[in-house]
Amino acid sequence: MDLISALQFLRLNEIPKAWVDEVWDLEFTERKQLDDTIGEELVVIGDRNFKNLYQCLLAHAAEQQQSASRDGASQSVWAALGENGVSVKTLVAVLSLFVLAAKAKAANVQQRVSGLRAAALYLLLLGIPGSIANKVFHEVLLDTCSDITSQCWPQDSGKKRKKEGPKSSQTEGKRSKPQRKDTPEMEVDEEEEEDEELHFSGQDLMKIRDAVVYLVQSLLRLLQAFPLKDRPQSASNCTQIFSKLLSFEPIVGEATFAAIQDITKLRSIPEMAFYGLRLLCSPKHGDQKESLRRVFHRLLYVILMMNKNNRGKPSLLVPSQAVLSTRNQAISFVCHLVEELKELALPFLQILLQHICYQMVEKSEFRSHGAQAVGMLTSQMASQDYARFIKWLFNFSRHSKMVHRLFSVDVVMVLLEQPERNSEDCQDPELANFLQHKFLIQNLLFTRRMDDSPTVQGHALACLAQCLELPSFNVTRAVHNLFSATATQTVLESEITEESHSSQQTQKTYRTLPFRTVEISSTDSSSCDAKDNLALLLRRVKDSKTNVRKSALQALVGLLKHDVIPASWENLSTMSERCRDPAVSVKKKALQCLGELLAAKPECSVVQKAWLQGVVPAVVDSENSVQEKALEALDQVLLSRIKPYSAGRHMDASQSLTWALLDLLCQECQNLSRYFSRAFTIWSKQNMFTPTFITNLISHTEADHAAGAWLLLSKVVTSSSKLPYGKILDAWDNMIRSKDVPVTTCCHILCVMGDIAAHLNEDTKDRIVSDLMSWLKTFTLSLEVINTAVETLHQLGHSEDVKQTQAFLNQHCGELVSVCEAYLAAIILSEKGNENVNEELMIKHVHTLGVASLHCPAKVGKRTVLLVESVLTTQSDKVAELQGEIPASQPLSQFRANSLPTRVRAHGVITLGKLCLQHEELVQKYLPVFARELEVGTEVAVRNNVVVIMCDLCVRYTNIVDHYIPNISACLQDNEAVIREQTLIMLTNLLQEEFVKWKGSLFFRFMVALVDPVPAIASLCEYCLLHLLLKKNPEMFSQHFIECIFHFNSYDQHKSYNKFPQSERERVTFSLKGAQHREKRFRIYRFLLEHFTDAQRFNIVNKINQSVLACFADEELPLDADGAEILSETFKILSLKEMKLQAVSTPAGGPAEEEPEEENMANMAKAVLQAAQKKVVSQVQKKAFIENTVPLIIGLKSLLEQKRSPVLRDLMAYLQVTMQDYRNEVKEFFSGDEQLAAEVEFALKTAEREREMEQQMDNCSLEGDARTPTAQHSIHGSPIKSKPLLPFSFATPQPPRPNVLSARLAHTDRRAQRSRQEEGVQSKSIALEGTVMPKGVVNYRAISTPKGVNINLTFDEGLSAIFSDQGTSLGGETSVLHVRSNEQQAAGLRQWNVQSPLRQKRKPSKH
């Protein structure tokens, strides 16, 4: 078709010239309507007309280009238009009409298609030679036509067609949250959702898509022919447009990025976009460096899976398959550009990698993909460039922002998966060390174990464990070196340093941020000590943060599995202890790690023992899921592997492991028997023990590992209906005849015999009873076997008739009592019986007497009691004289020592206690004796057993023993640690079961145990109070707090407090009075206050006002020396930071650095709620302080001034602390005492000045002290005058960590106490030169405009060149962020002459 004919549908000749002029005058910024007739006709123009015109114009352009290259004789398009009277100006104006109509949000399908076709025609016209001369070019219209795709393609088409989107990933260790609707972006403005919805069919979308293809092809043809060298803004816009089109639709097949392609062969729009980006990097469109910078800038956000508009915060995209595919293609395109342009593109690859690191978010899925991107991109770098990046990454890993340090660990793990580079490939010897995997592990990964953030610590430790699974030998060897005795760490003393940005510079700001490299330098000369590394790892296993403990467990098990550290009990017991961790997730992790370790080292006995110590007690865990996991592990390892035994068949490794574990349970781990029995109780309800299992088990009773088989039989026999009783009776006969049966096996066989007694006939029972009695009367059995044998005897005699059962017991147990009584009488009544006593034999007689007496209390006479008493004291004369009735007169005051050994006397106490359990009159008689023994006894074993007996008696005779609880609790201050610990455990059990109440001095004695000189006892007491007792009585701490003040200071003049009875000895023993005990008292106060609720803190302040301050203000309590001590201590307590309400003192939302980014929305709502709560609570607290406290303070100040009391100093110190939050309202608070208000204001100002002075002295470099951080900011060429910045420290932040609540984590290291010299604190200066600031950028400050200290490294309009390691920049620019070390700082800096006013006061005045 002829070109002129193709133009007829636009009716250009009918367009008024005035309208055309007006459109050009508006510079195509607004749509100017035509008159009704022409406008309506143009609206209905079909798509076919635009296609015909496009093809015709394209043919003329191609023909013109061919003829121009051949002989130049062909007529140009412009000449043809002019000859036919077609105005180019009118044509452009009419095309703009369609383009601007399509930009409207309410545009229909036809308008959008026509707009896209018109835009394609304009771009095609613009690409024809002569377009500039014919005034076709207009920059605004060019940008509008190029970017019209974003307005015409429905942005929410995917959202309206999809109802469910892919699940977003969760950060490690976080619970999943309800999914939001799938949107192209995670953050969708509500305004967009509220727009009028336009629904497009699939056919409509295909029409628009075809028009977009024509538009993009026209833009590519334009870039091929039309240079943008002098139009950088248009080039930048094109870069942005192409980057958006990358995600327009998926690419079918493999994407190719060939340099020269036929545009019509590019089938997908993303492929066209990649080709367009490649065209923009050609020299014809300007400086290739600037072009590459722009392209890499836009691809950065594609790789990061973010949507970045011109301004504002980048929004995260849902990491769907389409987004990930686009990201992968963008990475491949960058690699293609680097491979093609080589040295020209490599510097910008460095910048791209830096910004990927700097702009990474905390979400685990994004970090994982980001690290993979860094790994793919670094593979394109030569060794020297790679080493420079690793050097930069090392410094980046010391950044003050937590997410940066976290991401550096991810990057290291990806780089470790790549083959290690050869150091010889690096020309610079100083950079060669950075190529080694050893450097990545020891200097980047392992140093993060000391990080201030628990999240980073945990992630680094988890990754350390993963390193051992990598196939690289060098990686494994590097980890071995960290924990081996001959380890040596790569230390680069001057080149490698620790970067430390000020935390003030890492606030989240989203302003115009230039694409600049970051040069960071500092010093770090930390050494690597294998023992210290292992010790630190073991401390991390007991860390206060849950995720750190879990990751440390994973690291520890990895080191043990790969023999990096020895499988010693010290290392393994730490892992077993974590199976009883307060956190459920840690318990499960510990169980999993122990299982992995046992599978890796099944033959190691220490590992077996650690597995049992960790898994078996978990079956009684309070959390059902932990119980189930432990039961599953026990079933898998112990029960499921039991096969029939055959002497000629060799057992495999799994069966050998099973019997080795059972043997341990019979020997070294007998203390786990109770937990093990609980597991079988649960299993029996599930009918897990089949006849086949029992048969298999009994087949092992004749093997070498018979002990384990009898152990299992003793547990399962009660839940099995059919048993081979013959084999069991044969084993019994063998045991009776044999003399070398182990004690535990004897006990288990006896248990089995007792359990099957109901199924035996009478003759068999009688035979067994006879054998059992004969065996017991030999008194050769161990104490454990005696206990079990007597219990079996009871089971053998059990019947439905209670009287018959008791008669059987009286007969047989009574016989044992008589035998024992006769033996004791022979020794005690004999004149020389005590001289040659057999200690072991006597202990067995005493023990048997106690065990048997519990089953036949009627056979225990007074003579028996007196004989047992005689074991403890010298009473043989009474026994000899009184063979009949023995009166209970003249009760003993104490057990007087006799010549019997201490062990015999200790067992005598236990037996006497068992006798008391059956006779209440004996309890009345011997309780005073027991109490006196606790007070004046000298034998540790005897007093320890007395504590056990008295607490056991308390369960049965609660009212009687209750009067002696003060005597028992006095043992909490016993000289022997074992008695203190035993007393603490026994009393805690009684308090839990409510046999004992918190009465009298009991609570305060527990408090004294909190400051026990033995840390283990103090830790145990803390655990008992917090995790066992406080849960039953949440008000316990607050109810006793005020009385603690009076009690521990031994002050009894108050009318209400410290009035409970106690002896003078107890008062002295538990007193913490005096300056020498002040630290202990305040440790107790802090412990109590830390576990107050805010309501309890608020109420305790009011109670202190009423009960303490008011009493002194009204002179109810004398202000003598003791009273002054109480008042002084009260003010110090009120000044404690633990006394402040958490709702007021804690920042809303908590520390932002530790919050996962994925919880931002929830945290934002929580922060708003906390802010409102804080405001309300603050107002209530303020009102209470004014109404209740201020009048008392004014009265007390007046009284203290009259008395000239030194307590006045403590009062003013309390006011200074309290009024910090109300420093501007002092006069309002103390309106009744202007002098006091003035004094408080003066004290506040003085304190503030002192703090500022201390801060300046800490931060300023005085006399060249290298340890004091300094900071100098020199700004060159800044368009705005810089403000002087206060010196600030660039050390890695160390926020205070909360104290550990659980006593089981008492040995967790406190980060708040960690020395700041742990990682070097270095100085830093920022030099920015020659920054190019386009018009309008000043409002969005870049790094070169130092208003404040916020530094956010992204790239936007203000772009700079790369700064090389040699200190020179490309293209003559030096716009970099450069951090200098102390040695590099410019000489001649003026030193601050700061001197403390305290020093000035000390100088003698000159007269």
Side-chain angles (χ1 to χ4, degrees):
M1 180 183 289
D2 182 64
L3 175 61
I4 302 304
S5 301
L7 284 169
Q8 292 298 323
F9 74 97
L10 292 176
R11 303 176 63 179
L12 298 178
N13 295 330
E14 301 178 20
I15 303 299
K17 187 175 182 302
W19 179 85
V20 174
D21 293 338
E22 190 172 356
V23 170
W24 279 83
D25 291 340
L26 291 173
E27 295 191 345
F28 307 102
T29 56
E30 297 180 16
R31 186 187 180 202
K32 182 66 178 175
Q33 293 288 350
L34 275 169
D35 59 29
D36 295 341
T37 305
I38 301 177
E40 290 177 0
E41 292 179 359
L42 289 179
V43 166
V44 297
I45 290 176
D47 187 27
R48 183 181 301 274
N49 296 322
F50 277 108
K51 283 185 179 180
N52 293 335
L53 177 58
Y54 184 88
Q55 295 298 334
C56 188
L57 190 60
L58 184 60
H60 276 75
E63 182 182 350
Q64 178 179 335
Q65 184 177 2
Q66 292 175 2
S67 60
S69 59
R70 188 171 56 251
D71 54 7
S74 177
Q75 183 183 25
S76 70
V77 172
W78 313 112
L81 292 176
E83 291 175 359
N84 290 277
V86 177
S87 169
V88 175
K89 188 175 182 181
T90 303
L91 175 60
V92 171
V94 172
L95 291 177
S96 72
L97 178 67
F98 290 99
V99 172
L100 294 175
K103 288 183 63 178
K105 291 183 178 180
N108 56 32
V109 176
Q110 183 59 43
Q111 288 176 319
R112 297 184 185 217
V113 172
S114 299
L116 289 167
R117 298 289 187 183
L121 284 170
Y122 175 75
L123 295 178
L124 191 58
L125 275 173
L126 195 58
I128 299 175
S131 60
I132 300 295
N134 287 275
K135 298 182 179 179
V136 175
F137 175 78
H138 192 283
E139 188 169 5
V140 174
L141 187 56
L142 171 61
D143 294 341
T144 303
C145 292
S146 302
D147 196 25
I148 193 175
T149 304
S150 59
Q151 284 90 21
C152 292
W153 183 256
Q155 298 295 320
D156 55 354
S157 60
K159 178 177 68 177
K160 292 175 182 176
R161 287 179 294 172
K162 297 179 184 178
K163 293 186 177 179
E164 291 185 0
K167 295 180 179 179
S168 60
S169 67
Q170 304 294 329
T171 304
E172 294 95 340
K174 304 296 178 184
R175 295 183 179 178
S176 61
K177 296 181 176 58
Q179 298 296 321
R180 292 178 284 181
K181 292 183 179 180
D182 180 33
T183 60
E185 302 174 14
M186 288 185 178
E187 299 182 9
V188 180
D189 295 337
E190 293 182 1
E191 296 179 0
E192 293 182 6
E193 294 183 354
E194 293 175 0
D195 287 340
E196 181 182 357
E197 294 187 358
L198 293 175
H199 297 275
F200 297 95
S201 66
Q203 188 175 4
D204 293 339
L205 293 175
M206 284 303 299
K207 288 181 180 179
I208 299 176
R209 191 260 179 195
D210 292 341
V212 171
V213 170
Y214 275 91
L215 174 64
V216 177
Q217 289 179 348
S218 298
L219 185 56
L220 293 178
R221 291 189 176 95
L222 174 66
L223 293 177
Q224 287 178 333
F226 189 83
L228 299 178
K229 188 172 184 178
D230 299 327
R231 297 173 176 84
Q233 187 61 44
S234 297
S236 178
N237 291 340
C238 289
T239 305
Q240 183 175 352
I241 292 163
F242 285 131
S243 66
K244 290 180 180 179
L245 292 174
L246 295 178
S247 57
F248 187 87
E249 62 186 9
I251 296 178
V252 179
E254 188 71 21
T256 56
F257 311 108
I260 301 176
Q261 297 185 29
D262 183 359
I263 295 175
T264 58
K265 293 182 180 180
L266 297 172
R267 298 302 180 186
S268 66
I269 293 176
E271 286 183 292
M272 299 178 191
F274 279 121
Y275 182 57
L277 292 174
R278 177 63 188 86
L279 288 175
L280 288 170
C281 294
S282 59
K284 70 185 297 182
H285 295 298
D287 185 6
Q288 279 188 283
K289 296 176 184 177
E290 291 302 319
S291 299
L292 283 168
R293 188 192 304 275
R294 284 193 295 264
V295 170
F296 280 29
H297 168 211
R298 299 309 310 182
L299 292 177
L300 166 69
Y301 296 104
V302 178
I303 295 172
L304 290 174
M305 296 186 291
M306 294 180 178
N307 183 28
K308 178 67 168 68
N309 298 320
N310 291 332
R311 297 178 181 178
K313 173 183 178 181
S315 56
L316 298 177
L317 301 174
V318 176
S320 61
Q321 187 61 40
V323 172
L324 290 173
S325 176
T326 304
R327 162 195 167 274
N328 295 335
Q329 292 157 8
I331 295 172
S332 301
F333 179 69
V334 171
C335 295
H336 169 76
L337 282 181
V338 173
E339 184 178 357
E340 183 177 344
L341 301 178
K342 297 188 185 326
E343 296 299 328
L344 192 63
L346 279 173
F348 299 99
L349 179 60
Q350 288 272 8
I351 293 182
L352 179 64
L353 290 169
Q354 292 174 7
H355 283 269
I356 290 174
C357 296
Y358 259 98
Q359 300 198 49
M360 185 50 59
V361 296
E362 190 183 348
K363 277 176 169 284
S364 60
E365 189 170 6
F366 284 81
R367 285 191 288 106
S368 175
H369 290 305
Q372 293 293 338
V374 172
M376 294 171 65
L377 293 173
T378 52
S379 64
Q380 300 296 312
M381 305 172 79
S383 294
Q384 186 151 346
D385 295 320
Y386 175 82
R388 286 198 184 97
F389 172 71
I390 298 300
K391 181 179 179 180
W392 182 92
L393 182 67
F394 173 81
N395 297 320
F396 174 77
S397 69
R398 265 68 177 171
H399 198 278
S400 62
K401 195 171 183 180
M402 183 268 290
V403 66
H404 292 168
R405 305 195 300 274
L406 191 65
F407 183 62
S408 67
V409 175
D410 291 303
V411 173
V412 167
M413 290 305 298
V414 172
L415 296 180
L416 287 174
E417 295 176 2
Q418 298 179 357
E420 186 174 32
R421 299 188 181 227
N422 193 345
S423 300
E424 297 177 357
D425 296 340
C426 185
Q427 300 176 358
D428 188 348
E430 294 180 352
L431 295 175
N433 287 321
F434 292 97
L435 298 177
Q436 301 176 4
H437 281 169
K438 178 181 178 181
F439 175 81
L440 293 175
I441 291 176
Q442 296 184 353
N443 295 73
L444 274 85
L445 177 60
F446 192 63
T447 52
R448 291 301 97 212
R449 77 200 187 282
M450 304 285 288
D451 199 275
D452 295 283
S453 165
T455 304
V456 180
Q457 276 186 18
H459 191 46
L461 292 172
C463 290
L464 183 67
Q466 296 173 19
C467 288
L468 293 167
E469 306 295 337
L470 296 176
S472 172
F473 172 74
N474 290 333
V475 172
T476 307
R477 183 174 59 183
V479 177
H480 274 267
N481 289 341
L482 290 170
F483 294 95
S484 64
T486 58
T488 56
Q489 183 184 24
T490 304
V491 179
L492 308 178
E493 297 179 355
S494 59
E495 296 82 13
I496 303 175
T497 53
E498 179 181 337
E499 185 275 340
S500 41
H501 282 294
S502 170
S503 59
Q504 301 177 21
Q505 290 184 326
T506 57
Q507 296 175 357
K508 291 185 178 180
T509 56
Y510 297 94
R511 300 179 177 178
T512 299
L513 300 160
F515 181 24
R516 308 184 187 286
T517 184
V518 187
E519 291 295 330
I520 310 170
S521 63
S522 53
T523 59
D524 178 23
S525 58
S526 59
S527 61
C528 173
D529 184 80
K531 292 182 178 179
D532 292 343
N533 291 339
L534 179 57
L536 179 64
L537 179 60
L538 294 176
R539 289 202 302 274
R540 289 288 175 263
V541 175
K542 302 176 181 178
D543 195 88
S544 61
K545 293 294 183 180
T546 300
N547 67 315
V548 176
R549 299 200 297 275
K550 290 168 59 179
S551 300
L553 281 171
Q554 189 64 49
L556 185 61
V557 75
L559 297 175
L560 289 166
K561 281 167 58 178
H562 293 84
D563 297 319
V564 179
I565 59 177
S568 63
W569 178 246
E570 178 187 3
N571 297 336
L572 291 166
S573 62
T574 305
M575 193 179 301
S576 298
E577 290 172 5
R578 289 306 100 207
C579 293
R580 295 174 287 281
D581 195 272
V584 174
S585 60
V586 178
K587 285 187 277 196
K588 292 181 178 179
K589 185 67 175 180
L591 291 172
Q592 175 190 338
C593 290
L594 284 172
E596 292 178 9
L597 189 59
L598 186 67
K601 293 178 173 291
E603 299 178 356
C604 180
S605 60
V606 186
V607 173
Q608 295 170 2
K609 182 180 178 182
W611 186 86
L612 289 173
Q613 294 287 354
V615 175
V616 176
V619 300
V620 296
D621 195 87
S622 57
E623 182 68 28
N624 289 335
S625 59
V626 177
Q627 282 188 25
E628 293 170 1
K629 195 173 183 68
L631 289 169
E632 181 184 354
L634 287 172
D635 179 28
Q636 182 180 356
V637 177
L638 294 182
L639 301 187
S640 63
R641 297 178 180 177
I642 293 179
K643 309 296 180 184
Y645 175 71
S646 175
R649 186 173 58 186
H650 178 72
M651 290 191 298
D652 59 22
S654 62
Q655 293 183 59
S656 299
L657 173 62
T658 297
W659 295 111
L661 290 170
L662 290 171
D663 286 341
L664 278 175
L665 284 170
C666 295
Q667 299 172 13
E668 298 179 37
C669 302
Q670 293 182 46
N671 59 320
L672 302 176
S673 177
R674 183 175 300 178
Y675 306 114
F676 200 47
S677 299
R678 176 64 182 275
F680 283 89
T681 303
I682 298 172
W683 284 330
S684 64
K685 298 177 182 178
Q686 302 171 358
N687 298 321
M688 290 184 59
F689 309 120
T690 63
T692 304
F693 174 80
I694 300 295
T695 304
N696 293 341
L697 195 56
I698 289 180
S699 68
H700 289 270
T701 55
E702 299 176 0
D704 294 337
H705 49 266
W710 281 110
L711 168 63
L712 289 182
L713 267 178
S714 67
K715 307 297 183 184
V716 305
V717 69
T718 55
S719 57
S720 301
S721 57
K722 295 182 180 181
L723 291 170
Y725 302 117
K727 290 188 176 182
I728 296 176
L729 291 175
D730 291 342
W732 163 258
D733 293 334
N734 292 334
M735 183 186 72
I736 292 296
R737 290 193 301 266
S738 176
K739 295 183 179 180
D740 57 352
V741 179
V743 171
T744 52
T745 304
C746 288
C747 292
H748 295 146
I749 294 176
L750 285 167
C751 288
V752 173
M753 294 302 298
D755 290 332
I756 68 172
H759 304 283
L760 301 177
N761 57 42
E762 293 299 326
D763 292 339
T764 306
K765 283 186 182 180
D766 292 342
R767 181 171 62 85
I768 295 173
V769 169
S770 175
D771 292 341
L772 197 56
M773 288 297 295
S774 301
W775 207 28
L776 282 169
K777 285 189 285 188
T778 61
F779 293 98
T780 58
L781 309 179
S782 66
L783 301 184
E784 296 87 351
V785 176
I786 292 173
N787 288 336
T788 311
V790 173
E791 181 61 31
T792 302
L793 188 65
H794 173 253
Q795 290 176 295
L796 286 167
H798 179 74
S799 65
E800 295 181 359
D801 187 354
V802 177
K803 292 183 179 180
Q804 186 177 349
T805 302
Q806 190 59 55
F808 174 88
L809 293 175
N810 287 341
Q811 177 187 347
H812 295 90
C813 292
E815 183 181 349
L816 291 175
V817 170
S818 299
V819 172
C820 295
E821 182 181 323
Y823 175 83
L824 292 177
I827 293 178
I828 294 173
L829 298 180
S830 174
E831 293 183 2
K832 298 182 179 180
N834 294 353
E835 295 180 3
N836 298 317
V837 64
N838 185 330
E839 181 178 336
E840 292 296 330
L841 187 59
M842 188 169 185
I843 287 174
K844 290 176 181 178
H845 277 83
V846 172
H847 183 75
T848 304
L849 174 60
V851 174
S853 66
L854 291 174
H855 296 285
C856 57
K859 295 296 181 179
V860 177
K862 293 185 178 180
R863 186 172 187 272
T864 307
V865 176
L866 194 55
L867 281 170
V868 176
E869 181 187 313
S870 298
V871 173
L872 303 175
T873 186
T874 54
Q875 295 285 334
S876 59
D877 51 345
K878 288 187 177 182
V879 180
E881 294 173 3
L882 302 174
Q883 297 294 330
E885 293 294 324
I886 300 178
S889 59
Q890 300 177 350
L892 299 172
S893 62
Q894 177 197 355
F895 296 142
R896 292 188 295 276
N898 54 28
S899 58
L900 291 175
T902 299
R903 286 185 63 218
V904 176
R905 289 162 52 78
H907 281 277
V909 170
I910 295 295
T911 299
L912 185 58
K914 291 175 181 178
L915 296 177
C916 291
L917 283 172
Q918 302 294 334
H919 302 86
E920 185 174 346
E921 66 276 8
L922 295 180
V923 178
Q924 299 279 9
K925 176 181 178 181
Y926 287 109
L927 268 179
V929 183
F930 291 147
R932 182 65 176 165
E933 180 68 16
L934 289 179
E935 186 175 340
V936 298
T938 57
E939 295 171 314
V940 177
V942 173
R943 286 190 290 117
N944 182 77
N945 289 354
V946 167
V947 171
V948 175
I949 287 299
M950 292 186 73
C951 290
D952 282 348
L953 291 174
C954 184
V955 175
R956 185 157 189 174
Y957 305 105
T958 305
N959 294 332
I960 301 175
V961 184
D962 188 60
H963 301 289
Y964 295 93
I965 293 299
N967 302 83
I968 301 174
S969 62
C971 294
L972 290 171
Q973 276 291 81
D974 196 274
N975 293 330
E976 298 295 334
V978 65
I979 295 180
R980 298 201 300 272
E981 182 179 9
Q982 184 75 272
T983 305
L984 180 62
I985 295 172
M986 299 298 293
L987 284 175
T988 299
N989 290 335
L990 293 174
L991 286 164
Q992 271 190 292
E993 300 298 329
E994 297 187 355
F995 292 110
V996 172
K997 305 291 184 182
W998 289 109
K999 295 191 301 186
S1001 60
L1002 183 58
F1003 178 83
F1004 309 103
R1005 296 184 179 181
F1006 264 76
M1007 291 298 103
V1008 173
L1010 270 177
V1011 291
D1012 194 278
V1014 178
I1017 297 178
S1019 175
L1020 176 61
C1021 182
E1022 184 178 343
Y1023 172 77
C1024 292
L1025 285 168
L1026 292 181
H1027 298 277
L1028 302 178
L1029 300 175
L1030 186 61
K1031 292 179 180 179
K1032 294 185 69 69
N1033 187 4
E1035 301 294 327
M1036 176 175 68
F1037 287 175
S1038 60
Q1039 289 172 350
H1040 294 87
F1041 184 81
I1042 296 178
E1043 194 155 13
C1044 284
I1045 302 174
F1046 293 101
H1047 178 75
F1048 293 132
N1049 284 279
S1050 301
Y1051 189 83
D1052 55 4
Q1053 298 186 41
H1054 197 282
K1055 62 183 179 181
S1056 304
Y1057 296 112
N1058 202 25
K1059 294 297 183 182
F1060 45 81
Q1062 54 182 338
S1063 66
E1064 186 61 30
R1065 174 179 171 275
E1066 293 173 342
R1067 186 189 302 272
V1068 173
T1069 302
F1070 288 91
S1071 175
L1072 294 179
K1073 184 179 181 180
Q1076 70 274 18
H1077 296 302
R1078 180 178 291 114
E1079 181 184 354
K1080 291 183 177 181
R1081 294 199 302 272
F1082 275 85
R1083 277 166 57 191
I1084 293 173
Y1085 299 148
R1086 287 191 176 94
F1087 171 81
L1088 294 175
L1089 289 171
E1090 281 173 358
H1091 301 97
F1092 274 24
T1093 63
D1094 270 354
Q1096 290 172 342
R1097 289 188 181 91
F1098 182 82
N1099 291 331
I1100 206 68
V1101 171
N1102 290 334
K1103 288 181 180 178
I1104 289 175
N1105 288 338
Q1106 299 167 7
S1107 304
V1108 184
L1109 300 185
C1111 291
F1112 283 104
D1114 298 339
E1115 299 191 43
E1116 293 180 12
L1117 294 177
L1119 202 58
D1120 53 11
D1122 290 342
E1125 284 293 328
I1126 290 291
L1127 187 57
S1128 173
E1129 189 146 311
T1130 302
F1131 282 128
K1132 290 175 181 176
I1133 291 171
L1134 291 171
S1135 303
L1136 292 174
K1137 65 178 181 180
E1138 291 81 5
M1139 186 65 84
K1140 290 189 175 182
L1141 303 185
Q1142 289 184 349
V1144 176
S1145 58
T1146 303
E1153 182 185 11
E1154 293 300 324
E1155 292 179 354
E1157 301 251 349
E1158 66 179 9
E1159 298 180 357
N1160 277 348
M1161 296 301 294
N1163 287 337
M1164 192 177 300
K1166 183 179 178 181
V1168 172
L1169 182 63
Q1170 285 182 346
Q1173 181 185 6
K1174 178 178 179 180
K1175 185 175 182 180
V1176 173
V1177 173
S1178 180
Q1179 292 297 327
V1180 174
Q1181 186 184 30
K1182 176 182 174 181
K1183 181 180 179 181
F1185 182 75
I1186 294 175
E1187 294 179 355
N1188 302 329
T1189 308
V1190 170
L1192 291 174
I1193 294 297
I1194 293 175
L1196 277 174
K1197 179 178 179 293
S1198 176
L1199 179 62
L1200 294 173
E1201 287 177 340
Q1202 293 176 9
K1203 302 279 187 179
R1204 297 179 179 270
S1205 173
V1207 183
L1208 184 61
R1209 184 186 304 108
D1210 299 308
L1211 183 149
M1212 295 304 297
Y1214 160 66
L1215 285 179
Q1216 180 178 327
V1217 171
T1218 306
M1219 298 305 295
Q1220 287 291 339
D1221 298 330
Y1222 308 106
R1223 58 172 60 90
N1224 297 326
E1225 304 173 69
V1226 175
K1227 292 183 178 179
E1228 176 188 346
F1229 277 43
F1230 299 99
S1231 57
D1233 191 333
E1234 295 182 359
Q1235 180 180 352
L1236 178 58
E1239 291 177 3
V1240 172
E1241 283 186 334
F1242 178 78
L1244 290 173
K1245 291 178 181 178
T1246 302
E1248 190 171 352
R1249 283 198 299 270
E1250 289 178 356
R1251 279 196 303 271
E1252 291 179 357
M1253 188 68 69
E1254 290 175 2
Q1255 185 177 3
Q1256 290 177 358
M1257 294 177 69
D1258 288 341
N1259 292 339
C1260 297
S1261 178
L1262 302 179
E1263 300 178 355
D1265 187 355
R1267 291 176 298 176
T1268 306
T1270 62
Q1272 279 290 335
H1273 294 251
S1274 58
I1275 312 298
H1276 302 281
S1278 175
I1280 299 178
K1281 184 177 180 180
S1282 63
K1283 296 182 179 180
L1285 299 177
L1286 289 176
F1288 53 92
S1289 169
F1290 286 82
T1292 303
Q1294 298 184 7
R1297 299 286 298 277
N1299 291 331
V1300 186
L1301 298 182
S1302 171
R1304 294 185 177 180
L1305 300 178
H1307 298 294
T1308 303
D1309 64 335
R1310 314 290 183 170
R1311 288 169 192 75
Q1313 299 174 357
R1314 187 189 305 154
S1315 170
R1316 292 196 177 199
Q1317 280 74 28
E1318 186 173 287
E1319 295 180 345
V1321 180
Q1322 303 300 326
S1323 62
K1324 174 178 178 180
S1325 65
I1326 298 178
L1328 304 173
E1329 300 175 3
T1331 303
V1332 180
M1333 298 293 292
K1335 181 178 179 181
V1337 179
V1338 174
N1339 294 330
Y1340 301 91
R1341 296 183 176 277
I1343 296 177
S1344 59
T1345 54
K1347 185 173 183 180
V1349 291
N1350 295 328
I1351 295 181
N1352 194 347
L1353 295 167
T1354 60
F1355 37 137
D1356 216 319
E1357 295 95 332
L1359 308 174
S1360 72
I1362 282 290
F1363 185 87
S1364 67
D1365 285 340
Q1366 286 74 24
T1368 60
S1369 61
L1370 301 173
E1373 293 186 28
T1374 59
S1375 299
V1376 297
L1377 174 62
H1378 180 58
V1379 183
R1380 300 174 180 170
S1381 63
N1382 285 340
E1383 293 79 2
Q1384 295 172 326
Q1385 282 205 349
L1389 296 176
R1390 182 165 60 90
Q1391 299 292 325
W1392 288 22
N1393 185 15
V1394 180
Q1395 191 172 15
S1396 169
L1398 298 176
R1399 297 179 182 175
Q1400 294 178 356
K1401 291 181 181 179
R1402 293 173 184 167
K1403 292 183 180 179
S1405 58
K1406 297 181 180 180
H1407 300 283

